[in-house]
Amino acid sequence: MIKSFTHEPPISVGTAQEFEQVRLVFKGAHFDEETICRTLKIEAMSDAGSVKIDTLDTTEISDQLRLLIRLFLFQRMVPRPEVDRVFDNATRDAFLSLRILGSGDFGDDQFYATVLLYPVGGFWIASDRHSNPDGSEFAPPPDSVFPAIYEGTLRFLRLLPQVDADDALDLCAGSGIGAMVLSRHSKRVVSSDVTERATEFAAFNCALNNLVNVEAVGSDLYAAMKERTFDLIVAHPPYVPSLSIETIWRDGGMTGELVVKRVIEGAPDHLRDDGTLFVLSIGLDTNDGPFEERARKWLGKSADEFDIIFGYFEESTPLEMLKRLASREKNLGIKELRELAEAFEAEGTIKMPYGALVMRRHVKNGHSKPWTARVKLIGETDGRVWEQAFALHRRVSQPDFVEELQKATPELAPGLQVQVTHVVHEGSLVPAEFLFETDKPFTAIGRFDQWMVPLIVHFDGTKTPVQIYNEAVPGLELPEGFGVRDFTELVARMIERGFLILK
């Protein structure tokens, strides 16, 4: 292995002119997500690893794009004459000066990419490669910068809160892609990572994309932030349960919560009023409570200052997690797995859900009661849902909301689906139960008795709850004492769950 792959970042922050030359080549060759996905016939960049270069049809793309894909995505060596034919001297020299292209160490007169470089999130990102150009044995460094095109990272980017911020902080930033996405809605962003290697890659990627409002900082979480505060803090920390911290971007301690807990504990000192903390990771439901309630306790004396939503994708039992680790991590034997199992048991672990923990800090001197919710996410969920959910909860929590709602005109949510269960009654099938389902903003299921449905189905955005109740009641048999206010309170709950919407 050459030194630059293992001991120091194989990139160099060169001149503005060199970066501009590279950008011009990428733009001119259409080295972008849409073109590459179409060329590789894949749905997303995370699928690029499944494509075999020998079966790829590149007859419809330019020589430059073909060479860029071969070098930076498929990590193949290319003879010097071919590089000289496609790239002019200025382009070749810019690639060499920035050290993203190398030659001579893996065969005479052969060029190779020193990094994995790809378009993602509307940016070009360089990260560590995971193989040697000549196919020889490769051992990645412990501070390897993880690619930003894996499914987990793409999910992190998709779920990032879409809020405007003066100052934002991306912890455990790796390549810097999270901070770069935040830069679209933030005046200033800090990309922070504990390793020098990641910090240098983040600085390089910001220069490559000509971003001037992102600062790459080396820091053990908040250590270098001192008294700086932010409107938005995000983190995609290492959370894989591990006996030791050998791979920095991945290993999260015995239960996986080592770094996650520290991110949450430090947030109150650096998050402004009305600010948001977002963390994508696994968490533990234990005998002490569900993950989101345990996370609230980690906030210490500031615990009551936050509303919390935990949106999860999946839940694993400790046994399921151990089986997953055993299949993925070849260095985990019976002894190591037993140690992890004992750590889970000592923590009182019941389940290990994976998802996004989102905390919104109240404005000081406010009178909001802290709110905690766990919701189910789907693959298409994006970062718009967090602000929608917090805003909706604030609205429905107002003391006068029921009175306000009596004058409003809700309507059925566009994505609402209703399943009807029929039973046999006096020899005929009759509807007995109605199951309402929606996945926006979050997955929700509600069961309603038959007498409720004639009230609910008339919400078309033109009538108030009072009008619908008064029109429907004469022909319905309602439970004793079920008045218009009771109905309006039911409507409020349906709005909060996403079955009805307010324009």
Side-chain angles (χ1 to χ4, degrees), residues 238-503:
Y239 55 78
V240 176
S242 60
L243 298 176
S244 61
I245 308 299
E246 295 182 3
T247 303
I248 296 173
W249 59 262
R250 179 194 64 193
D251 297 339
M254 295 287 279
T255 63
E257 290 186 330
L258 177 65
V259 183
V260 176
K261 184 179 181 182
R262 292 181 58 212
V263 169
I264 295 169
E265 287 176 333
D269 291 334
H270 299 278
L271 191 65
R272 296 170 183 163
D273 291 349
D274 208 31
T276 302
L277 172 68
F278 169 89
V279 183
L280 181 66
S281 71
I282 66 165
L284 270 58
D285 293 343
T286 74
N287 295 328
D288 291 334
F291 174 53
E292 57 272 23
E293 293 290 359
R294 295 175 58 244
R296 181 180 293 282
K297 295 177 183 177
W298 296 342
L299 294 167
K301 63 182 181 181
S302 301
D304 289 343
E305 298 175 17
F306 288 81
D307 287 336
I308 300 176
I309 301 174
F310 179 51
Y312 73 98
F313 288 99
E314 60 184 12
E315 296 175 322
S316 302
T317 65
L319 180 58
E320 289 169 337
M321 176 61 71
L322 290 171
K323 289 181 177 179
R324 192 178 307 159
L325 292 172
S327 66
R328 293 178 181 177
E329 309 297 331
K330 304 305 179 185
N331 61 330
L332 289 179
I334 298 298
K335 177 178 177 296
E336 290 77 15
L337 290 170
R338 185 178 294 115
E339 288 185 51
L340 290 175
E342 291 171 353
F344 295 159
E345 184 176 359
E347 196 69 31
T349 307
I350 301 170
K351 287 185 178 180
M352 304 177 76
Y354 163 75
L357 185 74
V358 189
M359 298 180 166
R360 171 64 59 81
R361 193 169 203 168
H362 302 152
V363 176
K364 285 183 179 175
N365 300 322
H367 301 287
S368 299
K369 182 180 179 181
W371 169 60
T372 307
R374 175 176 291 201
V375 295
K376 184 75 167 65
L377 305 181
I378 60 172
E380 292 75 25
T381 303
D382 62 37
R384 292 173 294 183
V385 300
W386 313 118
E387 184 60 27
Q388 293 170 2
F390 285 124
L392 179 60
H393 177 74
R394 282 196 298 269
R395 185 174 180 183
V396 301
S397 299
Q398 296 301 312
D400 58 351
F401 179 70
V402 173
E403 286 71 21
E404 174 193 340
L405 184 57
Q406 289 180 341
K407 303 173 185 177
T409 55
E411 62 183 82
L412 296 170
L416 178 65
Q417 297 184 9
V418 181
Q419 296 183 18
V420 183
T421 299
H422 290 75
V423 298
V424 176
H425 178 69
E426 296 181 353
S428 300
L429 282 175
V430 296
E433 184 181 67
F434 296 78
L435 188 70
F436 282 48
E437 296 182 74
T438 185
D439 56 17
K440 291 181 176 57
F442 308 111
T443 299
I445 298 175
R447 287 178 171 82
F448 295 90
D449 293 332
Q450 184 176 359
W451 65 266
M452 297 182 185
V453 178
L455 292 168
I456 297 170
V457 297
H458 289 292
F459 283 108
D460 59 3
T462 66
K463 296 180 180 181
T464 68
V466 175
Q467 289 175 312
I468 290 174
Y469 180 87
N470 289 335
E471 292 174 4
V473 161
L476 295 178
E477 293 184 11
L478 301 179
E480 184 177 352
F482 187 82
V484 67
R485 184 176 180 88
D486 299 304
F487 176 57
T488 308
E489 289 175 349
L490 172 65
V491 172
R493 292 194 296 273
M494 294 187 69
I495 290 171
E496 191 161 19
R497 299 191 68 184
F499 301 137
L500 298 173
I501 60 174
L502 286 172
K503 292 293 189 178

